Amino acid sequence: MRTWHEMRRFPLAVRLLLVNQLGVNTGFYLLIPYLATHLTENLGLSAAVVGIVLGVRNLSQQGLFIIGGSASDRLGARGVIIAGCALRTLGFALFALGDGLTVLLAASVLSGLAGALFNPAVRAYLAQEAGEGKAEAFALFNVFATTGALIGPLLGSALLLVDFRTSALTAAGIFAVLTVAQALVLPARKVEPSGGGVLGDWREVLGNRAFVAFALAMVGMFTLENQLYLLLPDGARKATGWDGAAGIVFLVGTVANLALQLRITKRLKSQGNRARWIAIGLAVMGLAFLPPALTAGAVPVLAGALLLYLGIMIAQPFVMELIPRFGRPELTGTYFGIFYVVSGVAAALGNTAVGWAMDTGESGGHSWLPWVCCALFGLASAGAVAWLYRRGALPEPADPVRERSTV
């Protein structure tokens, strides 16, 4: 009830974007986790070809976030969000209807490009529309995203009892509904010119050393968030001998998120500079991996998962609130886009290190190794943010009176 009450404080456009994120994550996780199995078992593709198809989708999204961010600034976030959802509708429909490599690659490119368009655009639009309530808006955004990430796999596993095509068409249908809803509800906003070309915008953002340093410092957050889908499920399965144990981790985390996210954000927002809470949140995320490192069993894994969710709840809304404050409002989308490119590449390298630690730990009998590796990532990121804060490199929250005038 608290979530719905808080939602009603925001304009209709913000409320739609929150529901939109629930739908985006539901549709995405309904399909993508099962795509590799479909390509190998149903279509008989080799592991190498499957890797190409999945890699093209990931590269199309991670590598093109900067395009989506710039398009949001220059064309308006509304149109970019709508275009992104429409492209994902088409991409997921192609996964359902095609079985040739050319069609599958086209589906991968469209699906990845779609995410590259609407992810930075949604965050830019939300930051612009939420006014002084940015932190609360991004806290709600996290609640809806987490809930969708739980619903999606559950719905996907049920639909797969019919067949993969039904699952893919359902995912495409969700994005089609979102596209129509956005076209009908999201108001168009006047686009303020940035005063230069696209390359000039990129140079300005990349020349902001404090921003680039902050984006690199966030490698811990993105790497450790990804362990909700890699290390923690693997640890839960090994501890219990049950494949469904990972689902319990997600369920408990989602319930905790629904119950605590808004309370945490509202309480911390009034108690000191946001950068301090980002650093503390990252430290909690790192410490979350110590219980499974120290003691084997299901309880330490579950305790670690809850601590990880807690750290994300502390840090993430303030990270999203802070990004637009590094530069001019006319470049909000570009800042979000480049942030996701920089941190995404860094996190990919971090995940590679975690994967290496998992393999090395298993072969060498050092089961603690990947957990300690993740703890070090989190603590290093927390230290980096704390260092940037002490140097005065991170922007302070804006004047609330000034923010209210822009709502």
Side-chain angles (χ1 to χ4, degrees), residues 127-207:
Q128 292 161 357
E129 292 288 318
E132 65 179 292
K134 287 182 180 67
E136 290 88 348
F138 281 113
L140 285 168
F141 193 80
N142 190 27
V143 169
F144 279 87
T146 302
T147 304
L150 174 67
I151 295 173
L154 296 176
L155 181 58
S157 60
L159 290 172
L160 282 175
L161 296 175
V162 182
D163 60 17
F164 177 83
R165 181 166 296 180
T166 300
S167 182
L169 288 175
T170 301
I174 290 173
F175 278 96
V177 171
L178 293 176
T179 303
V180 173
Q182 291 155 4
L184 293 176
V185 175
L186 289 183
R189 299 297 188 214
K190 181 182 178 181
V191 179
E192 297 292 338
S194 66
V198 172
L199 293 179
D201 293 347
W202 295 356
R203 281 195 296 270
E204 179 178 336
V205 176
L206 291 172

Side-chain angles (χ1 to χ4, degrees), residues 21 24 28 56-73 76-77 79-88 92 107-124 175 202 332-341:
Q21 194 59 29
V24 164
F28 180 85
V56 165
R57 192 210 68 79
N58 191 59
L59 183 62
S60 298
Q61 180 160 319
Q62 296 291 344
L64 297 178
F65 274 132
I66 190 172
I67 303 298
S70 290
S72 173
D73 289 333
V80 177
I81 294 169
I82 294 170
C85 277
L87 284 177
R88 178 136 312 165
F92 281 7
S108 292
V109 170
L110 289 174
S111 300
L113 176 59
L117 289 176
F118 64 66
N119 276 333
V122 164
R123 286 157 178 80
F175 278 96
W202 295 356
T332 296
T334 304
Y335 271 94
F336 273 111
I338 291 181
F339 175 79
Y340 277 102
V341 170

Side-chain angles (χ1 to χ4, degrees), residues 9 11 49 80 99 252 256 264 269 292 321 323 326 368 372 379:
R9 295 179 52 243
V49 173
V80 177
D99 53 11
V252 172
I264 289 172
K269 182 180 177 180
E321 180 194 35
I323 291 169
F326 278 97
W368 49 266
V372 171
L379 294 175

